[in-house]
Amino acid sequence: MQTLAKLQHALSALCRAAMALVFFALIAVVTIQITTRTLGLYSPVWTEELSRYLLLYMTAFGIGLSLLSGDLVNVDLLQESVSESLAWWLRLLAAAATAVMGAVMILPAWKFTAIGALQRAPSLRIPMHYVHAAILLLAVLLFLFALLRVVGMIAGTEDGRPHFDEEG
């Protein structure tokens, strides 16, 4: 099951790197907006649109990392008040339900992405399937991260508790 931990680590590293790139792009776009407006210059219309799309991709790349770190909605009050054995089962059930939800979202997100090929972004003029793909990516990553947690819990390589360290 060492392979499972390596896969989770690689997926986490990939998502962290992608999120960093998107974040730096967002900083650049917002800096252009602020600088041009502050100096009284023409502010490019595309910056507002691009910043919204970059936020979508930040969310998509961050969803699995949030699951690992416990930053998603996590009701641990119940888990802390029951036995460790029951808490483990509750965490497994929550991870499995999250994996199922991610899996259920994939097909509709795929269809939504395909519809985007018929449309163009108003100011950037790029096909909207590039934008809609963020939702598909979010569903796939949520499914993968939750599935890895479920498999890890069943294999005994993790207990399903959030990882607060930098390595995920």
Side-chain angles (χ1 to χ4, degrees):
M1 281 296 149
Q2 192 71 1
T3 307
L4 183 65
K6 286 182 180 180
L7 180 61
Q8 187 176 31
H9 180 73
L11 190 57
S12 294
L14 181 67
C15 286
R16 275 192 183 87
M19 205 161 112
L21 288 172
V22 172
F23 186 67
F24 286 126
L26 181 61
I27 289 172
V29 169
V30 171
T31 300
I32 292 170
Q33 281 181 342
I34 292 170
T35 303
T36 54
R37 289 180 183 176
T38 301
L39 298 176
L41 303 172
Y42 167 76
S43 182
V45 175
W46 58 266
T47 56
E48 290 182 33
E49 189 173 46
L50 183 57
S51 63
R52 285 192 304 270
Y53 301 157
L54 290 170
L55 284 171
L56 285 173
Y57 273 94
M58 273 185 57
T59 303
F61 286 121
I63 192 77
L65 300 173
S66 296
L67 178 71
L68 290 182
S69 68
D71 289 330
L72 288 179
V73 174
N74 189 15
V75 183
D76 59 354
L77 183 63
L78 177 63
Q79 292 177 23
E80 297 299 323
S81 64
V82 298
S83 68
E84 179 54 35
S85 169
L86 181 56
W88 184 90
W89 281 103
L90 290 172
R91 289 191 301 270
L92 180 67
L93 178 65
T98 303
V100 167
M101 183 183 71
V104 166
M105 289 171 37
I106 291 173
L107 184 60
W110 181 275
K111 291 178 181 178
F112 180 62
T113 301
I115 290 170
L118 307 173
Q119 304 167 337
R120 291 207 170 268
S123 63
L124 288 173
R125 305 304 304 154
I126 60 171
M128 285 299 290
H129 66 272
Y130 292 119
V131 177
H132 294 174
I135 305 305
L136 177 60
L137 182 64
L138 182 143
V140 168
L141 289 174
L142 183 63
F143 168 70
L144 287 175
F145 275 97
L147 182 64
L148 287 171
R149 173 160 281 172
V150 168
V151 172
M153 288 181 73
I154 292 171
T157 59
E158 75 166 280
D159 62 1
R161 293 187 187 279
H163 304 280
F164 297 107
D165 61 350
E166 282 297 308
E167 294 302 314

